[in-house]
Amino acid sequence: MERDEQRDVYRTLDLALRVGEVLLSSGAGTADTTATILSVTAAGGLRGCEVDITFTSMALSYQAAPDVAPETHLRLVRYRSQDFSRLTAVDQLVQRFARGEVTRDEASRELARLTSAGPPYPRWSAVLAWGVMAGGATLLLGGGWLITAVAVVTAIVIDLNNRWFNRQRLPAFYQQVAGAFVATAVALILYAVHAPVKPSLVVAAGIIMLLAGIALTGAVQDAITGYYVTAAARSLEAMLLTGGIIAGVSLGLAIGVKFGLSIGIEAETIQLAKLPIMVGAGALMAIAFAYASYAPLRALLPVAVMGGLGSMAFTLMTKASFGPAWATAAAAFVVGLGGYSLGRRSGVPPLVVVVSGSVPLLPGLTIYKGLYELMSLGNLIGIFGLASAVAIGVALASGVILGEYVAQPIRREARRLEDRLAGPRLVGPRRPVRPRTSRPRRRRRTD
């Protein structure tokens, strides 16, 4: 009998850790992952579990009684993937298990099927979606149709190269360097042949494409909610990957300077007359990123709405002279505020909507401007430009999280779990789960 109980405990802890692995590898915050793991263990009948999460590992401990040694399990997170379809499916599986609609063994088998299944869309369509996202970025920055077509082709080449590098086990840092260099090289070629386009927009679109895969929101969320170890690790990863982009662009600019090719900043100033184009471009970028990340089709409409609203808010705030950082923060707040409700209503985790909706706000042109001033002009103002890009990134992530805080419904039955974890749920059940037990409750004798 004790062996059967130990086996039940092991299966429940294993299921919880496997669920947490999917969430953590998909960019979910540590608070969200912890809450989901505790929800799975509570639904499996285990009370008082303790969770410890670092960037690459998760430890889950359960003590059946005060005089019994705790049982602790460890699971490593060896991969990072931007697969919103898997994240959504696992999130729904956890909610079904918490409601008692599936048993633990059924949930375990379904989780194994979900993690081993391939992408829901053909890979070529995801590659094309990355190109469409880069094309939307050029439209957002004031580019014409010719430079948009060039940006689409360039982004497709970058994604194909990165996929090949990934199969060769090349670290992500070098993939970022190669992708940024390709975008800069294309811009230099366009400038050398005197093409009637704005070459700098190709570089900016490539930077936005490469920045879109960096989980900056999760890093800021961990810092705000008190998980400083994982926040530091996520921030270091974001800085390293962004450093790869900077290295690739600066290498291309340095080569251009040697050959007398200097690509200036050619973005247009924001005009309210072009607000519909900017809103449409923002929605297109959000949809393309969501599709490239294999988000469910039902999520594309709310993603488009939030991408368009975020671009509109950014345009209006910039036109009102609030500065790029505050304009980005206000737009990100709008995305976080609406993304929570729209995500839940469409049956997907809000993380899918807010991350996709915030893609048009990434500071691609600001990074390029700082590098151009630093490399081509030898101007120290470029350092302040790069610092401005960092401020925009932090404003973007913190604005999204603040929007989630405001949007999250405050309910008494959820206060216990929310107070313990001190953060809004971007992934996982919204209410604490009461543990189910197969043992009958003893009745108190009244005689």
Side-chain angles (χ1 to χ4, degrees):
M1 188 67 179
E2 291 183 358
R3 181 173 298 179
D4 293 337
E5 291 181 356
Q6 290 180 350
R7 188 175 301 171
D8 289 338
V9 170
Y10 169 78
R11 290 177 178 175
T12 301
L13 296 180
D14 178 70
L15 174 63
L17 286 176
R18 288 162 56 200
V19 167
E21 180 185 16
V22 174
L23 267 61
L24 197 63
S25 64
S26 300
T30 306
D32 298 335
T33 305
T34 302
T36 305
I37 290 176
L38 292 178
S39 298
V40 173
T41 56
L46 303 183
R47 301 190 182 191
C49 291
E50 296 292 340
V51 184
D52 182 37
I53 297 179
T54 65
F55 188 57
T56 57
S57 65
M58 299 176 295
L60 180 58
S61 180
Y62 170 69
Q63 188 173 14
D67 56 345
V68 176
E71 182 173 349
T72 303
H73 292 247
L74 178 69
R75 191 173 187 90
L76 300 180
V77 181
R78 293 186 173 91
Y79 67 94
R80 305 284 166 181
S81 65
Q82 195 85 350
D83 192 339
F84 287 154
S85 65
R86 181 180 301 169
L87 176 67
T88 302
V90 172
D91 178 61
Q92 293 177 343
L93 176 62
V94 170
Q95 297 185 34
R96 289 166 52 204
F97 178 60
R99 293 193 298 263
E101 298 176 2
V102 295
T103 64
R104 182 197 57 215
D105 294 338
E106 291 173 346
S108 181
R109 288 192 296 268
E110 186 171 349
L111 179 62
R113 181 184 61 81
L114 291 174
T115 54
S116 61
Y121 314 132
R123 296 187 183 275
W124 63 265
S125 64
V127 174
L128 181 61
W130 283 113
V132 173
M133 193 197 79
T138 58
L139 291 176
L140 186 67
L141 297 174
W145 293 106
L146 180 57
I147 192 63
T148 298
V150 174
V152 169
V153 176
T154 303
I156 290 176
V157 172
I158 292 175
D159 187 61
L160 291 176
N161 287 340
N162 285 351
R163 288 175 183 267
W164 185 82
F165 289 143
N166 193 41
R167 290 194 296 269
Q168 305 304 316
R169 305 294 183 182
L170 188 70
F173 172 81
Y174 300 106
Q175 297 180 28
Q176 297 287 89
V177 174
F181 178 78
V182 169
T184 310
V186 171
L188 290 173
I189 293 174
L190 292 176
Y191 184 83
V193 300
H194 303 287
V197 294
K198 301 175 181 178
S200 61
L201 299 187
V202 177
V203 184
I207 292 175
I208 292 175
M209 171 190 172
L210 297 172
L211 284 175
I214 300 177
L216 182 60
T217 302
V220 175
Q221 184 187 9
D222 287 352
I224 292 176
T225 53
Y227 293 90
Y228 300 113
V229 174
T230 53
R234 289 177 187 265
S235 300
L236 180 60
E237 182 192 46
M239 292 173 57
L240 183 65
L241 296 180
T242 305
I245 298 174
I246 293 175
V249 174
S250 61
L251 175 61
L253 291 177
I255 294 176
V257 170
K258 295 294 183 181
F259 288 94
L261 304 175
S262 180
I263 308 173
I265 309 298
E266 300 168 312
E268 294 183 356
T269 57
I270 292 179
Q271 302 175 5
L272 292 180
K274 295 186 177 181
L275 182 61
I277 297 179
M278 302 186 71
V279 171
L284 180 64
M285 290 179 64
I287 290 178
F289 174 78
Y291 187 90
S293 301
Y294 304 113
L297 294 179
R298 63 180 180 274
L300 298 184
L301 179 58
V303 163
V305 172
M306 298 319 304
L309 289 178
S311 299
M312 178 185 295
F314 176 80
T315 303
L316 296 177
M317 292 292 291
T318 303
K319 195 63 179 179
S321 302
F322 274 93
W326 282 109
T328 302
F333 176 79
V334 172
V335 173
L337 186 65
Y340 184 87
S341 300
L342 291 181
R344 290 299 182 187
R345 288 181 179 273
S346 59
V348 298
L351 179 68
V352 176
V353 180
V354 298
V355 170
S356 302
S358 60
V359 165
L361 306 176
L362 292 171
L365 189 62
T366 304
I367 292 177
Y368 173 72
K369 182 180 179 180
L371 289 175
Y372 171 77
E373 293 175 344
L374 190 63
M375 299 295 300
S376 299
L377 303 180
N379 196 339
L380 293 180
I381 297 178
I383 298 178
F384 296 100
L386 295 178
S388 177
V390 174
I392 291 174
V394 175
L396 172 60
S398 58
V400 166
I401 298 302
L402 180 60
E404 295 290 336
Y405 268 103
V406 175
Q408 184 182 15
I410 303 176
R411 299 176 181 176
R412 291 184 179 179
E413 61 268 22
R415 289 297 299 177
R416 183 181 305 171
L417 185 59
E418 292 296 333
D419 289 342
R420 286 186 58 191
L421 300 176
R425 300 281 73 75
L426 295 181
V427 179
R430 289 170 289 176
R431 296 184 177 89
V433 181
R434 295 181 178 179
R436 299 196 305 269
T437 178
S438 58
R439 298 179 181 178
R441 182 180 298 178
R442 294 181 179 180
R443 294 184 178 181
R444 182 179 297 178
R445 297 183 60 182
T446 58
D447 53 350

